[in-house]
Amino acid sequence: MNGEGLARRRLVPEPGAAILGVSSALAATALALVVAVELSQRPLPLGLVTLGGAALLGTIALALARYDAAVGLGVALLGVVVADPAPSDLVFVVVIAVAAATGRFALDRVPRTVVVAIVVFAALNLASSVEVIDPARAAAFFSITLYLCVFALWLTDYVVSSRRAAVVARAYVFAAVSSALLGSLALLVAYPGGRVFLEDGRVRAFFQDPNVFGPFLVPAALILIEELLSPRVLRAGRLVNAICLVALTLGVLFSFSRGAWLNLALGATVMFVLLALRRGGARRALAFLGVGLCVAVLVGGAVAVSGSAGFLAERARPQSYDAERFGAQAVGIEAAEQYPLGAGPGQFEQIAPISAHSTYVRVLAEQGLVGLVTLGALLLFTLGAALRNALLGRDTYGIGSAALLGAWCGILANSFFVDTLHWRHLWLVAALIWAGSMRRRTAGRATPA
């Protein structure tokens, strides 16, 4: 079959297309309802609403005229998450809608295990909704979850060429580096408006919480490390990449998030071990250590200049609220016993005096044991796919498999201590891993340049 026939076949409805269409429509509708509820509760000035409408129309026009540019815009906005839905969500809803309407979104390039796990997890969210205490909170929380699932499926189908992988990687690194620079400079140098990027002496940039900002930088840092060792998708030279890596490391450090530190340390360790085991590993391992040493010296100097050493040591010690956080695990187990199907999406804070502070605890309490097993299966399948990609040296169209494996291991570890279910970069990293795992199966199909 020629390329034209393959492209035409993609426009013909196929098994799973109905689920895809319904899920996309539901996610878009749910996000629209969330926006409507937020606007009803917090009315915005007419000028701001008008500007938002113009931006929406501009995004639709961009997605129709320059599809990849719209994707790049959405990824670049991932560094701005001050509320749900985030600006990137609104861009991607338009992009996904355009993709579905023009036949550019199908499930044939997504692992079947992933599709099944996501469908089951979404169904369990709906089933658990019979127990909700706060229906508005449940609807808003589930709408974001559903949207992120659809986003991950779409992104897996989108990244099918080196050009498209470069669009995603460059925009993501740009978002991470710009956030890290703005936040770190606000801590090091007082400039007008800089305090908005800080929270109690910690950098949060355009995020609600430093504990989300710090981990957001980690996958980009790992991608840059692999780019320094083996340039593939980023156009910048090694010197620029090295400067960006220092900026990201400073951002992670100045978030003063122990979860982010663990995330980066584990991800870098996994990368180091994997690169050392590959052919020519001794040379790569030495280069890795050299990069790490240079970054450590520069970051250490920045810490000394900023006078943050004392606060850094304080944050590294156990905190008074740690006992409360770990107490959430007991609450999650009790909730699972009381609600076999789960208490419903977004209800943990309604049934417990403290936040979940763990993805696994939240899912156990809100979707029950079956929900935790389902999500766990999805996460472990992704870990297995990342490990297989890394061992086979199968990158995601230029995005290094070692970096993605390290990033995923860091996220899984971070998820024990922070609720990561709605982290946009979790679903982005997962989608890149799934896309890499499908490279061999889709090699003979017609793909964009």
Side-chain angles (χ1 to χ4, degrees):
M1 184 179 294
N2 59 26
E4 182 181 353
L6 285 167
R8 189 163 50 245
R9 190 182 69 177
R10 296 258 298 171
L11 299 177
V12 178
E14 57 184 53
I19 294 175
L20 178 61
V22 171
S23 298
S24 301
L26 285 175
T29 303
L31 275 181
L33 289 174
V34 172
V35 173
V37 170
E38 287 294 324
L39 289 177
S40 67
Q41 295 177 348
R42 303 179 184 85
L44 297 176
L46 178 60
L48 194 56
V49 173
T50 302
L51 182 62
L56 178 61
L57 292 176
T59 302
I60 294 173
L62 180 63
L64 290 170
R66 299 286 301 275
Y67 181 63
D68 291 335
V71 173
L73 174 64
V75 177
L77 288 174
L78 287 175
V80 183
V81 189
V82 294
D84 282 333
S88 63
D89 301 338
L90 303 179
V91 172
F92 280 124
V93 163
V94 171
V95 169
I96 293 171
V98 168
T102 57
R104 304 184 200 185
F105 184 12
L107 295 177
D108 57 337
R109 289 192 174 98
V110 183
R112 293 300 175 90
T113 302
V114 169
V115 176
V116 171
I118 285 178
V119 169
V120 172
F121 186 63
L124 290 171
N125 270 263
L126 291 174
S128 66
S129 296
V130 299
E131 299 282 1
V132 299
I133 299 171
D134 185 347
R137 165 67 174 167
F141 193 90
F142 176 61
S143 70
I144 299 298
T145 303
L146 179 61
Y147 152 72
L148 288 171
C149 290
V150 174
F151 163 73
L153 294 175
W154 163 81
L155 185 60
T156 306
D157 183 68
Y158 173 79
V159 182
V160 291
S161 68
S162 298
R163 179 175 58 82
R164 288 187 167 186
V167 169
V168 174
R170 291 167 188 168
Y172 177 47
V173 170
F174 167 80
V177 171
S178 57
S179 297
L181 284 173
L182 285 172
S184 298
L185 285 174
L187 188 68
L188 297 171
V189 181
Y191 63 87
R195 294 186 64 84
V196 75
F197 301 126
L198 306 178
E199 179 181 302
D200 299 327
R202 303 169 62 189
V203 177
R204 70 176 182 185
F206 293 105
F207 289 82
Q208 293 174 307
D209 189 338
N211 293 320
V212 183
F213 161 72
F216 172 75
L217 308 180
V218 174
L222 299 179
I223 290 172
L224 277 170
I225 291 174
E226 194 153 6
E227 280 290 308
L228 283 169
L229 301 178
S230 179
R232 278 176 287 193
V233 295
L234 302 181
R235 291 177 178 173
R238 280 192 166 92
L239 178 59
V240 174
N241 286 340
I243 294 172
C244 290
L245 177 59
V246 172
L248 291 174
T249 307
L250 283 173
V252 173
L253 185 69
F254 289 149
S255 71
F256 296 105
S257 167
R258 291 168 295 167
W261 298 343
L262 170 66
N263 198 325
L264 180 59
L266 180 58
T269 300
V270 169
M271 275 192 68
F272 174 76
V273 172
L274 182 64
L275 293 173
L277 292 176
R278 288 179 175 175
R279 179 178 297 179
R283 179 177 57 81
R284 288 194 179 91
L286 286 174
F288 188 101
L289 290 175
V291 170
L293 180 61
C294 292
V295 171
V297 169
L298 293 173
V299 169
V303 171
V305 170
S306 67
S308 302
F311 189 38
L312 188 65
E314 173 62 28
R315 286 293 304 168
R317 289 195 289 266
Q319 304 297 306
S320 58
Y321 50 77
D322 286 341
E324 295 181 0
R325 288 187 170 186
F326 289 116
Q329 299 184 10
V331 174
I333 295 173
E334 293 173 3
E337 294 174 348
Q338 183 178 355
Y339 304 98
L341 291 178
Q347 300 302 294
F348 191 94
E349 289 75 14
Q350 306 300 320
I351 63 176
I354 53 178
S355 296
H357 291 295
S358 168
T359 301
Y360 313 114
V361 169
R362 176 178 288 281
V363 173
L364 176 63
E366 295 184 351
Q367 280 75 52
L369 182 60
V370 178
L372 178 60
V373 170
T374 302
L375 182 66
L378 177 63
L379 299 180
L380 290 176
F381 171 83
T382 306
L383 177 62
L387 181 60
R388 184 169 58 253
N389 289 346
L391 292 176
L392 294 176
R394 182 193 299 155
D395 60 73
T396 301
Y397 301 97
I399 302 175
S401 55
L404 292 177
L405 174 61
W408 190 247
C409 289
I411 290 171
L412 292 185
N414 214 159
S415 298
F416 280 101
F417 311 107
V418 181
D419 181 9
T420 63
L421 188 63
H422 286 176
W423 283 8
R424 276 70 177 169
H425 72 274
L426 177 151
W427 296 96
L428 180 140
V429 171
L432 292 176
I433 291 170
W434 301 337
S437 71
M438 295 293 286
R439 280 197 65 174
R440 186 178 61 173
R441 302 181 193 180
T442 61
R445 303 182 189 180
T447 61

